[in-house]
Amino acid sequence: MGQAPAPKPAADVELWRLDCGGVQVNDLNAFSDTLAYSGQKKRLVVSCYLIRHGSDYLLWDTGLPEAVIGKPVSATDAMSPILTTTIKRQLAQIGVKPEQIGRVGISHYHFDHTGQAAGFPSATLLIGKGDADALNAGKPGTSTEPLKPWFGGGAKIEAVDADKDVFGDGSVTLLNLPGHTPGHHALLVVLKGKGPVLLSGDLAHFQENYDTNGVPPFNTDRAATLASLDRFKKLAGNVKATVILQHEPGDVAKLPAFPASVR
């Protein structure tokens, strides 16, 4: 009944980390509703992931919009986005065409996770139902613009209300972890060699935030965030997963740099 199956590796699953940009955070309290980081700055990464399951491809998160390329980095804005390449350019390096991407899964609706999604209009969009509902309702802080092929454009969309076993064999599972947004999800990928890998979405943005259960003031539900952090950490320990906080440079570096992959 919507519960994640026990992790087990599929015969042929491969994972690439993609460069989807970065963010210069000039006020780190933007990620703390208890003002834990006064006067601190941090450079975060924006990461996306390509998962190959047999001959099927899933793109997990789609980074910053291509329009960010060439924009100067601000030393004064609370957050300043940075982008130097595109997902399509990286896919071309490994011989994957945009139309080969059968599924685009997004952890949540924020612009640094949906920015290049529209470049894959033939894919099925996997998105948390809570996020889909918020987008359809035009809730403050949401925009369907980056997801136009699916919201108004007729492309296939699947609103995921719980956990979802994407390929039916327990190798790739969307995990329902709301709080950052109403339908926020993370992704569990089980690799034959490396074992389970947990891609956090924005459950936490950097290591200290994760370790202390910090909650950004812009999260939609504080209690749900803390409950999701508890579930995620217990799951990670129980399956002995490699945890990748998607904005933490040190975590993303646990995976080989593109174009290398891990299995």
Side-chain angles (χ1 to χ4, degrees):
M1 298 294 291
Q3 181 64 36
K8 57 182 178 180
D12 190 16
V13 179
E14 190 172 4
L15 172 67
W16 291 262
R17 83 181 217 215
L18 303 175
D19 176 2
C20 289
V23 180
Q24 174 59 38
V25 183
N26 295 310
D27 178 7
L28 204 56
N29 271 341
F31 296 100
S32 174
D33 65 3
T34 60
L35 305 181
Y37 310 114
S38 296
Q40 296 185 42
K41 300 182 179 184
K42 189 172 178 67
R43 178 68 66 91
L44 301 177
V45 296
V46 176
S47 60
C48 308
Y49 301 86
L50 179 68
I51 296 103
R52 181 183 62 78
H53 179 280
S55 60
D56 295 326
Y57 287 93
L58 164 69
L59 182 61
W60 176 250
D61 282 337
T62 64
L64 290 159
E66 293 183 11
V68 172
I69 292 177
K71 289 193 173 182
V73 182
S74 171
T76 55
D77 291 350
M79 296 187 219
S80 180
I82 306 152
L83 188 65
T84 59
T85 189
T86 69
I87 293 174
K88 286 184 177 179
R89 285 178 198 164
Q90 292 171 84
L91 295 182
Q93 284 183 248
I94 57 172
V96 176
K97 298 176 181 179
E99 56 268 25
Q100 289 178 262
I101 305 299
R103 297 170 178 85
V104 171
I106 60 166
S107 57
H108 63 293
Y109 54 59
H110 288 157
F111 84 107
D112 56 326
H113 294 258
T114 61
Q116 297 172 57
F120 305 92
S122 62
T124 296
L125 182 71
L126 304 177
I127 182 174
K129 185 177 185 302
D131 278 22
D133 291 346
L135 286 162
N136 282 320
K139 292 286 181 69
T142 70
S143 171
T144 58
E145 188 65 27
L147 301 172
K148 283 177 72 174
W150 302 275
F151 288 85
K156 187 177 178 182
I157 181 170
E158 184 173 347
V160 181
D161 198 20
D163 294 346
K164 178 176 176 59
D165 182 354
V166 177
F167 297 105
D169 62 5
S171 64
V172 181
T173 306
L174 270 72
L175 299 172
N176 185 34
L177 295 166
H180 183 62
T181 61
H184 179 273
H185 277 68
L187 193 72
L188 173 63
V189 182
V190 185
L191 301 167
K192 195 169 186 178
K194 189 173 182 63
V197 176
L198 273 169
L199 304 174
S200 68
D202 275 7
L203 183 63
H205 293 81
F206 50 93
Q207 192 64 50
E208 186 181 351
N209 207 226
Y210 179 72
D211 291 342
T212 61
N213 292 334
V215 180
F218 54 89
N219 279 21
T220 57
D221 189 319
R222 193 177 207 281
T225 300
L226 294 173
S228 290
L229 278 162
D230 179 68
R231 181 192 179 199
F232 184 91
K233 290 180 179 183
K234 286 176 178 172
L235 178 62
N238 289 337
V239 304
K240 298 178 173 57
T242 299
V243 171
I244 309 292
L245 304 179
Q246 292 184 212
H247 286 296
E248 172 59 70
D251 269 19
V252 174
K254 295 174 185 175
L255 299 174
F258 189 85
S261 64
V262 64
R263 299 188 187 199

